[in-house]
Amino acid sequence: MFGSTIAAISTARGKGGIAVIRISGDDAITICEKFIFPKRKKALSEIRHGSVCLADVKDEDGTLLDESVVTVFHAPHSYTGENTVEISCHGGILLTESILMRALSCGAVQAGPGEFTRRAFSAGKLSLSQAEAVIGMIDAETKAALALSRINLDGAIRRKTDAIYETLKTVVSGVYATIDFPDEDLSSLSDDEVRNGIISAIISAASSEALSVSHS
């Protein structure tokens, strides 16, 4: 779907125990094999999906940048739905930027803000409400906001809107059948069922809106 393989430091900038660099795209594993060398003497392409390995991360001249923990995800079973490699390195500012620059020099491009989540949305891994919930979890400043974002990330709003869509689809189909073929009694819905379906959709929509507003 996307032509480029993207890379970015996925943890907050600053000094810390660890930092994570994420590389995602069709060529993620191929690119990372140019500078990541597992201690177990296997190529990254031989590492099973979801497996973690200890690896040497090397600069262009073979200099050791860091001994890092590397996780490999094979498409479509990753956050973005693409091949993905995550490097958990020591959390120095210069070190993490050096590893990112090495990934970029090997063929990746700098990811834009929110691009990993955008790719997850495009791949159908997340609905729009779930993508918004990811941002909500990052920005949450209270336990209530965090809990609500967690619920939305689990698909609460999506399930509600899917149910509303199915209800309205049934009602509209019945109404169209009655309008187009009034003498053939093709609609399986009575007037009361149509009315109740619309009322149910309105109530569900109001509930979903309240959940969304509370999140914002």
Side-chain angles (χ1 to χ4, degrees), residues 4 6 8 29 32 43 46 53 58 61 97-98 100 103 105 114 118 120 138 157 159 173 187 189 210:
S4 59
I6 56 174
I29 296 174
C32 288
E46 299 177 282
C53 66
K58 295 186 177 182
D61 60 2
E97 290 183 347
S98 296
L100 173 61
S105 70
R118 181 170 71 89
I138 294 171
I157 291 181
R159 287 191 292 272
S173 296
S187 176
L189 300 178

Side-chain angles (χ1 to χ4, degrees), residues 35 58-63 65 102 105:
F35 67 98
K58 295 186 177 182
D59 210 346
E60 185 176 4
D61 60 2
T63 302
L65 290 173
R102 184 72 179 113
S105 70

Side-chain angles (χ1 to χ4, degrees), residues 34-159:
K34 297 177 182 179
F35 67 98
I36 297 175
F37 304 93
K39 296 282 192 179
R40 63 181 71 174
K41 305 304 180 183
K42 283 187 175 182
L44 280 183
S45 57
E46 299 177 282
I47 304 297
R48 290 185 302 170
H49 165 75
S51 294
V52 175
C53 66
L54 187 64
D56 289 333
V57 180
K58 295 186 177 182
D59 210 346
E60 185 176 4
D61 60 2
T63 302
L64 181 67
L65 290 173
D66 193 39
E67 186 178 76
S68 303
V69 174
V70 178
T71 310
V72 178
F73 301 95
H74 294 284
H77 307 294
S78 69
Y79 178 71
T80 60
E82 305 169 313
N83 289 332
T84 301
V85 177
E86 292 186 351
I87 306 166
S88 298
C89 64
H90 292 93
I93 296 175
L94 178 59
L95 173 60
T96 53
E97 290 183 347
S98 296
I99 294 176
L100 173 61
M101 292 306 296
R102 184 72 179 113
L104 300 181
S105 70
C106 287
V109 298
Q110 176 69 54
E115 190 167 356
F116 292 109
T117 298
R118 181 170 71 89
R119 291 192 174 201
F121 170 71
S122 297
K125 291 289 185 176
L126 297 174
S127 67
L128 183 58
S129 60
Q130 287 172 310
E132 291 174 342
V134 172
I135 304 302
M137 291 187 69
I138 294 171
D139 291 340
E141 297 182 355
T142 66
K143 289 184 177 180
L146 181 60
L148 186 56
S149 293
R150 176 71 256 177
I151 291 172
N152 291 343
L153 185 58
D154 287 338
I157 291 181
R158 181 178 187 175
R159 287 191 292 272

Side-chain angles (χ1 to χ4, degrees), residues 179-210:
I179 293 173
D180 292 341
F181 306 98
D183 299 326
E184 299 187 26
D185 195 26
L186 294 179
S187 176
S188 60
L189 300 178
S190 67
D191 290 348
D192 285 341
E193 287 173 325
V194 170
R195 184 181 302 106
N196 291 337
I198 294 173
I199 292 173
S200 174
I202 292 172
I203 293 173
S204 296
S207 175
S208 297
E209 177 66 18

